[in-house]
Amino acid sequence: MKKTLLILLFVPLLSIGQATKFVRQALRLNDPRAQIELLNQALEIDNKHLDALFYRGIAKYNLEDYDGAILDFTKIIFFEPDADSYYNRGNCKFNLLDYEGALFDYEKAIALDPDLIGAYFNLGNTKFNLEDFKGAVDAYTKVIHAFPNDYKSYSQRASAYMELKNYKAAFKDFGACILLRPNSQSYYNRGYALLEINYYKEAKDDFLKAIKVNPNNTPAYFYLGVSQFLLGEFEESIKSLTFATNKDQMDYDAHFGLAMAYYYINDLEKAKAKFERAKNLLGARGNDVLPVFKDTYWEVNEKQLFSELFKKLSAL
């Protein structure tokens, strides 16, 4: 009887060891699909092997199989809840635009491990998407306290402050971004924020700096042209917007901006040509072309100006 009992105990131990061996082999590979094959073998031996479930979830995430990854992390959470599994399941839900689900998982992850700083950053992004901008600020602040030089957290917190109309705090954070990373994107981001609150001169200065650092920053030329136009610098605006259209010939917003700028300097022939170009790019057909301009930059951000100039350009 004793010999029989030893045999019965010995076989499962061998099986568990073999499952772990498959997991270790999978972790040596870089191909997620090959990893999944080995991890599947481990789970055939032991369907509650938490490491196999966890790493298969990671492999599925890397293949953008977010639903499949969620199933694996959910199994782990059912058997033995842990912060990493909640965090990774939250990432899957975030990528599926399930922000409420992601919020739940990130908060669970933080409750289990308050030092999981990555969860705070992603929690901030989730709350931002849910328009809880105050909550987003609080989450990004947690990251900044842990990592005072984290560029992304300053940039994201600045955007949240902008939504809260706390412009003083926003520009302090945009300034921190420039100190940490004085690149074209940092100047561009602050310039865009300044443009949003009608600080046209300051925005223009930042777009000029963005272009000086990186002459290939095409969007900066468009917004430089916008800020120059709104400052009444029509000749300069034409130069900037022309550069933008040369870089991206499909930029209907830049073409419409050129139409307006040419109209203001009384070059009506070019104004009409650029207006027609913008309409063609937007797929305008027939006489009722106003609807195709819905949600364009000028229609959304400068409604009164857009409405006035659209009528004048249409009459040419």
Side-chain angles (χ1 to χ4, degrees), residues 10-303:
F10 190 56
V11 172
L13 287 173
L14 269 177
S15 299
I16 292 169
Q18 185 64 30
T20 300
K21 183 178 178 181
F22 281 129
V23 173
R24 289 174 180 168
Q25 288 176 347
L27 294 180
R28 297 192 191 105
L29 303 176
N30 295 320
D31 180 4
R33 289 182 176 81
Q35 288 178 326
I36 288 171
E37 288 182 12
L38 287 169
L39 294 168
N40 285 342
Q41 293 180 60
L43 288 164
E44 286 175 7
I45 296 168
D46 178 8
N47 63 2
K48 295 181 182 178
H49 198 296
L50 300 186
D51 283 347
L53 285 168
F54 182 84
Y55 290 116
R56 190 173 70 173
I58 296 294
K60 288 178 179 179
Y61 178 91
N62 289 332
L63 291 172
E64 299 183 7
D65 176 12
Y66 302 123
D67 288 316
I70 285 172
L71 288 175
D72 282 343
F73 294 127
T74 299
K75 288 177 184 177
I76 298 171
I77 290 167
F78 177 79
F79 292 123
E80 192 176 312
D82 70 286
D84 287 340
S85 295
Y86 273 115
Y87 171 74
N88 284 293
R89 190 174 73 172
N91 290 342
C92 295
K93 291 178 179 179
F94 186 92
N95 279 287
L96 290 171
L97 309 184
D98 176 10
Y99 299 126
E100 292 286 357
L103 178 68
F104 175 86
D105 281 349
Y106 291 138
E107 288 181 338
K108 281 286 189 181
I110 289 167
L112 289 168
D113 183 2
D115 295 325
L116 190 59
I117 300 302
Y120 285 104
F121 182 79
N122 290 358
L123 177 65
N125 291 340
T126 301
K127 289 190 173 185
F128 191 99
N129 279 283
L130 290 170
E131 298 185 4
D132 176 10
F133 302 116
K134 175 65 170 61
V137 165
D138 292 341
Y140 296 133
T141 300
K142 290 276 190 181
V143 183
I144 290 168
H145 283 166
F147 299 101
N149 294 327
D150 187 67
Y151 172 89
K152 289 183 179 179
S153 294
Y154 280 110
S155 180
Q156 290 294 97
R157 190 172 71 172
S159 297
Y161 276 134
M162 287 293 294
E163 295 291 342
L164 293 168
K165 302 190 186 306
N166 187 346
Y167 302 123
K168 182 177 180 181
F171 289 110
K172 184 177 179 182
D173 278 355
F174 280 127
C177 289
I178 290 170
L179 286 172
L180 290 168
R181 197 178 296 177
N183 59 16
S184 183
Q185 191 63 40
S186 296
Y187 285 113
Y188 171 85
N189 288 342
R190 189 173 69 176
Y192 185 84
L194 287 162
L195 190 60
E196 286 277 286
I197 59 170
N198 303 333
Y199 278 55
Y200 305 134
K201 182 180 183 304
E202 293 81 359
K204 182 185 79 169
D205 291 342
D206 271 349
F207 292 130
L208 285 169
K209 289 174 184 175
I211 290 165
K212 183 177 181 180
V213 175
N214 178 15
N216 294 316
N217 188 339
T218 303
Y221 282 95
F222 170 74
Y223 288 110
L224 173 61
V226 171
S227 58
Q228 289 166 330
F229 179 90
L230 295 171
L231 286 166
E233 301 171 358
F234 302 120
E235 296 283 0
E236 294 303 311
S237 177
I238 287 170
K239 292 178 184 177
S240 299
L241 293 172
T242 297
F243 188 91
T245 58
N246 287 341
K247 285 286 188 179
D248 180 5
Q249 296 182 12
M250 305 299 287
D251 189 345
Y252 47 79
D253 276 318
H255 283 289
F256 187 77
L258 281 168
M260 294 191 297
Y262 278 124
Y263 186 90
Y264 270 104
I265 65 170
N266 207 34
D267 189 338
L268 302 184
E269 183 179 346
K270 288 184 179 178
K272 182 177 181 179
K274 288 297 179 181
F275 183 48
E276 292 299 321
R277 176 65 172 156
K279 288 195 296 183
N280 289 337
L281 288 172
L282 287 166
R285 298 290 184 273
N287 296 323
D288 186 19
V289 299
L290 182 59
V292 302
F293 281 87
K294 182 176 172 57
D295 298 328
T296 59
Y297 175 83
W298 299 101
E299 192 274 338
V300 171
N301 294 279
E302 300 292 339
K303 286 186 182 294

